[in-house]
Amino acid sequence: MDFTPTEEQAAARDLAARIFGDLATPERLTAAGTGSDPELWKALCAAGLVGAVEELGLLGLVLLLEEQGRTTAQAPFAPTCVYGLLAVAAHGSPEQRERLLPGIGDGSVVVCGAFPAQGGVRAVQVSRQGELTGTVPVVPWLRDATHVLVADDHGELWLTPVTDATRVEPVELTAPWSAGRLTLDGAAAERLGATEAHADVLATARTAFAGLQAGVCAGSLARAVAHVNAREQFGRPLATRQAVQLRAADAYMDIEAIRVTTYEAAWRRDAGLPYATHALTAAWWASEAGRRVVDTGQHLHGGAGADLDHPVHRHFLWGRQLDAYLGCGAEVLQELGELIVSEEAQP
């Protein structure tokens, strides 16, 4: 395996870093409140970064999401690429790809995902006419979306316009992800892929959001390192204290663990290899290690970390939200164990 970015992936990553760095400033994030920044979204789409993901692959998307995570930029970049572009490209019919992909690429179609990470009873039913009925209590980025990807009670995927026989009620999460409560009442929908599409989209999403978590954690640690180097106590920078150094070193190793497991899962998907267990491994590291890192970032800021308006607090909120999104550590670990057992039982 080779995780070295291609020239195209590296160029896209550098461009994303510039856009996020220029537009996702603490001042603009504060002004956006709990919503997304429409100007940032326009800039990302105008630069061709959303449409480029089809060619860059999942590994390329992970690199871009790391840059988003470093700044906690508030734009529906991750869901549109995962639940929209990559899902349609992998499982859509030729007609669906021709009709939907251009709009997703230019930003006029924004897609979010409304289906649970864990199995069991799902809240949405589909009629014989392909109409959806049911309620999904929390759908991240729903208030930004034009379309939502929904899993019915049989685990099949359906794409439906948000404005078609739906009701959206704002819901606030730990992180400012423009979430909403989705109520479907006979909403017209089109099926996306076969039954196995749900497992693939979920594994893709877990891998992508693990990459986002790696960026969130890297941004949190970078802010903490800058703080302890500048902050002095008894005439010495905090960074010279061994306890501070060890805490930061542990955080760095956790970030690298999230990153390498995510890269492996993404690389395997792009190479057409089985990657379900690898996606779960990356998700576990993103949940367990991610929580530790953002806690460390806030802790190393001392009293400043307790300030809800401090930039590092955004990383804390995002890290905590990503810890639980698409399955927390214990749930993912159980699912991984069950998957390994089932694979070993196969002849």
Side-chain angles (χ1 to χ4, degrees), residues 179-318:
R181 175 185 175 92
L182 176 67
T183 302
L184 301 162
D185 185 13
E190 54 183 314
R191 185 173 175 179
L192 187 70
T195 303
E196 63 272 11
H198 178 269
D200 179 63
V201 172
L202 178 56
T204 300
R206 280 172 163 159
T207 304
F209 284 101
L212 184 62
Q213 180 75 302
V216 169
C217 291
S220 176
L221 183 59
R223 290 188 181 280
V225 169
H227 175 79
V228 298
N229 274 288
R231 179 75 170 176
E232 291 189 357
Q233 188 179 64
F234 305 117
R236 295 171 55 192
L238 287 174
T240 63
R241 310 292 179 180
Q242 187 178 46
V244 171
Q245 294 171 358
L246 292 175
R247 190 79 187 269
D250 286 342
Y252 175 81
M253 294 305 297
D254 272 338
I255 294 169
E256 288 302 295
I258 300 171
R259 182 177 286 124
V260 72
T261 53
T262 301
Y263 285 4
E264 182 178 10
W267 176 85
R268 290 182 66 88
R269 181 191 186 275
D270 292 342
L273 300 172
Y275 75 109
T277 56
H278 301 80
L280 286 167
T281 301
W284 183 85
W285 275 104
S287 175
E288 294 291 309
R291 184 176 65 251
R292 288 196 297 266
V293 173
V294 296
D295 286 354
T296 294
Q298 185 137 323
H299 186 193
L300 291 181
H301 276 78
D307 183 356
L308 301 185
D309 295 325
H310 195 286
V312 77
H313 190 66
R314 296 183 183 277
H315 294 269
F316 175 78
L317 296 178
W318 278 64

Side-chain angles (χ1 to χ4, degrees), residues 33-49:
T34 61
S36 295
D37 185 339
E39 295 303 317
L40 172 60
W41 178 241
K42 290 178 182 178
L44 292 170
C45 296
L49 289 175

